[in-house]
Amino acid sequence: MQKFQDLTQHEVEALKQKYNYADAHTHQSQSDSQLEIVKRLPELWLEAEKTQQETLNNKFIETFYKMRGLSAALNPNNVMLYYAASIATIHIANYLLKKRYSVSLLEPCFDNLYEILMHMEIPISPLKEELFHDVDKIYENLRTHVKSDAIFIVDPNNPTGFTLLGQENKKAFEQVVQFCKDYDKILIVDYCFANFLMNDEEFELYDTYKVLKESGIKYMAIEDTGKTWPIQDAKIAMLKVSDNLYEEMYSIYTAYILNVSPFILNFLTEYLLDSQKCQFASTLSILNTNREILSEKFQNSILTPLKPKGKVSVAWCEIREPNLKATELQKILYKEGVYVLPGTYFFWHNHNQGEKYIRIALARDTDNFTEGMSLIKSILDRLDKNFSAQVAAVPQLSPSGG
């Protein structure tokens, strides 16, 4: 088995597998209403051909942010568009490099954020997710641990699902914002998984951009479409920055992007409107179903799915067998035709901390997912028996110590 240097290299290999639960991109089939959009692709192509770019830009941007209840992001509507969220991250890294700024980056997180910053030689320090867990200690934790120029968080976090979104977490988010204001830090937020909290009965969402705007802090916020809708990676990402950063960020942006595809803007807007109409049922139902299958299959096994604060499209699972590492389990599953991600690289600063976790992507057709989880369960049962047999074979000491 080849040696991988990051999570994306794992994901590239996983694309060759029938049972691929590595990347968090959408691989499920179209819903009935989404299939109707696909049937209209020629019409949407010709429509885009005859429509001005600015009209398509504005329609897409306004539909996205209003759908999410984020109207404050549209005042002013100076959102920048990208082919992928990673390009927006590179744009941010370019700015940080130009300013010679350092960054405190959330850990764990998907390691391409670290890789982009690292390859541009930006000074990076780990920002442990636990620092945000107790609302009454967030401000002091940040004051103690953050010595960098910028804070970079992922919300909801990939892989854990931890979030500061939702009305019940608003005070926690305000603590982060207040710290950035008091100590003049730039707040960078990756909201690529935030769409999954739409129409979740456990979350009453608030307009985070209103909080950011009213605070007056410097901020950058990435949004994405690629993780939510089954669009075969024909996606659009967005970057909204504070007014006091926009002019300089825009000058970097236009150095390498003229526009995104008008056709993709046009058909993606239809997907947004469809989700708004069905209250995200086409997205959330398959994730909820697969999450239940995962929980049921792994009940009483050596792998336990951890309950996330925000139900995103990945499951963060803890290995309960102390003698089994994530890297070993990933290799065993790979040899049997199932691909998951080891937790190691998510802990980009200290890989060993991730050895007791694996991540399983949920955005798959349920038939495929059920088969794959059944296969994983049979492998786990076999491993559990082997470990139990090894323990039984170890001679037990007598009470006298002999």
Side-chain angles (χ1 to χ4, degrees):
M1 186 174 179
Q2 70 185 86
K3 181 173 175 59
F4 299 100
Q5 296 176 306
D6 58 36
L7 289 169
T8 302
Q9 291 184 9
H10 271 291
E11 292 179 339
V12 170
E13 181 65 23
L15 290 173
K16 305 171 186 176
Q17 309 298 318
K18 177 182 178 181
Y19 300 116
N20 164 25
Y21 311 108
D23 67 89
H25 293 216
T26 49
H27 295 290
Q28 75 267 29
S29 301
Q30 307 290 309
S31 68
D32 290 343
S33 56
Q34 289 168 344
L35 195 55
E36 291 303 311
I37 298 173
V38 173
K39 291 175 182 178
R40 292 175 50 218
L41 290 184
E43 171 195 334
L44 294 170
W45 177 283
L46 295 173
E47 186 177 270
E49 200 174 70
K50 297 172 184 176
T51 307
Q52 282 194 329
Q53 181 80 38
E54 185 180 12
T55 301
L56 295 169
N57 285 352
N58 289 338
K59 184 179 180 183
F60 171 79
I61 290 169
E62 289 174 10
T63 301
F64 181 88
Y65 286 94
K66 286 180 179 178
M67 172 195 72
R68 286 271 304 281
L70 302 172
S71 297
L74 301 173
N75 183 25
N77 180 355
N78 53 12
V79 175
M80 292 167 278
L81 302 174
Y82 307 81
Y83 313 110
S86 56
I87 309 300
T89 307
I90 291 170
H91 182 186
I92 291 171
N94 197 314
Y95 173 85
L96 296 171
L97 178 64
K98 179 182 177 183
K99 292 292 188 179
R100 300 294 187 265
Y101 284 164
S102 56
V103 180
S104 293
L105 175 64
L106 192 68
E107 188 185 45
C109 72
F110 195 83
D111 72 339
N112 79 312
L113 299 177
Y114 164 74
E115 296 277 328
I116 288 170
L117 297 170
M118 180 269 294
H119 286 308
M120 297 187 83
E121 299 184 351
I122 293 167
I124 317 168
S125 53
L127 186 64
K128 297 296 184 181
E129 186 189 276
E130 303 91 80
L131 299 178
F132 299 91
H133 288 179
D134 186 339
V135 63
D136 296 322
K137 295 180 180 178
I138 290 175
Y139 188 96
E140 184 59 30
N141 285 342
L142 294 177
R143 195 178 70 83
T144 301
H145 293 278
V146 174
K147 308 301 178 187
S148 58
D149 301 297
I151 294 175
F152 199 148
I153 64 175
V154 185
D155 192 358
N157 193 16
N158 167 25
T160 65
F162 178 77
T163 182
L164 298 177
L165 296 172
Q167 197 66 42
E168 66 182 56
N169 304 314
K170 187 177 181 182
K171 182 182 175 183
F173 182 64
E174 288 173 339
Q175 291 292 304
V176 177
V177 171
Q178 188 63 49
F179 170 78
C180 292
K181 182 176 183 178
D182 292 346
Y183 290 89
D184 193 26
K185 308 295 184 184
I186 297 176
L187 178 60
I188 305 167
V189 189
D190 178 335
Y191 283 126
C192 291
F193 282 73
N195 296 325
F196 296 113
L197 303 188
M198 290 296 296
N199 295 97
D200 186 326
E201 58 189 24
E202 296 178 14
F203 277 90
E204 180 188 348
L205 295 173
Y206 61 93
D207 191 338
T208 48
Y209 291 91
K210 186 173 186 290
V211 176
L212 291 167
K213 188 175 182 65
E214 291 177 352
S215 73
I217 70 167
K218 296 176 181 177
Y219 73 85
M220 305 179 182
I222 304 169
E223 304 276 359
D224 193 21
T225 56
K227 305 296 189 297
T228 313
W229 292 277
I231 48 179
Q232 298 196 56
D233 288 325
K235 54 194 175 181
I236 299 288
M238 296 135 275
L239 178 65
K240 171 73 178 180
V241 303
S242 53
D243 297 347
N244 50 14
L245 291 176
Y246 180 73
E247 185 176 348
E248 193 165 5
M249 286 293 285
Y250 184 68
S251 71
I252 298 171
Y253 175 76
T254 54
Y256 53 92
I257 289 185
L258 170 63
N259 65 286
V260 294
S261 163
F263 168 64
I264 292 176
L265 283 170
N266 202 32
F267 94 78
L268 258 182
T269 301
E270 295 298 313
Y271 275 79
L272 301 180
L273 293 170
D274 176 69
S275 284
Q276 194 170 27
K277 185 177 180 180
C278 73
Q279 298 185 313
F280 274 78
S282 60
T283 297
L284 300 182
S285 60
I286 192 168
L287 297 180
N288 290 336
T289 298
N290 288 351
R291 198 177 288 108
E292 289 173 8
I293 291 168
L294 185 76
S295 178
E296 181 183 322
K297 291 288 183 185
F298 294 164
Q299 195 169 13
N300 301 320
S301 80
I302 59 176
L303 191 65
T304 302
L306 301 178
K307 186 177 181 180
K309 198 170 182 180
K311 290 182 284 189
V312 292
S313 64
V314 294
W316 191 231
C317 304
E318 184 175 357
I319 302 168
R320 299 294 190 181
E321 169 53 59
N323 295 312
L324 180 62
K325 292 184 176 182
T327 45
E328 296 169 353
L329 178 57
Q330 186 274 324
K331 288 176 183 176
I332 291 168
L333 294 177
Y334 172 64
K335 288 178 181 177
E336 304 261 0
V338 189
Y339 218 112
V340 301
L341 290 182
T344 46
Y345 288 110
F346 290 97
F347 288 86
W348 52 267
H349 182 68
N350 184 350
H351 291 172
N352 286 335
Q353 288 186 332
E355 282 287 11
K356 63 176 183 176
Y357 303 103
I358 64 166
R359 196 197 75 173
I360 297 175
L362 301 172
R364 304 293 188 268
D365 283 331
T366 296
D367 288 349
N368 173 279
F369 192 79
T370 303
E371 291 174 9
M373 294 309 105
S374 297
L375 183 52
I376 292 177
K377 178 60 165 58
S378 66
I379 296 167
L380 292 175
D381 287 346
R382 190 174 72 230
L383 290 172
D384 194 19
K385 287 181 181 178
N386 290 341
F387 282 118
S388 298
Q390 289 173 17
V391 171
V394 175
Q396 301 297 310
L397 294 176
S398 66
S400 62

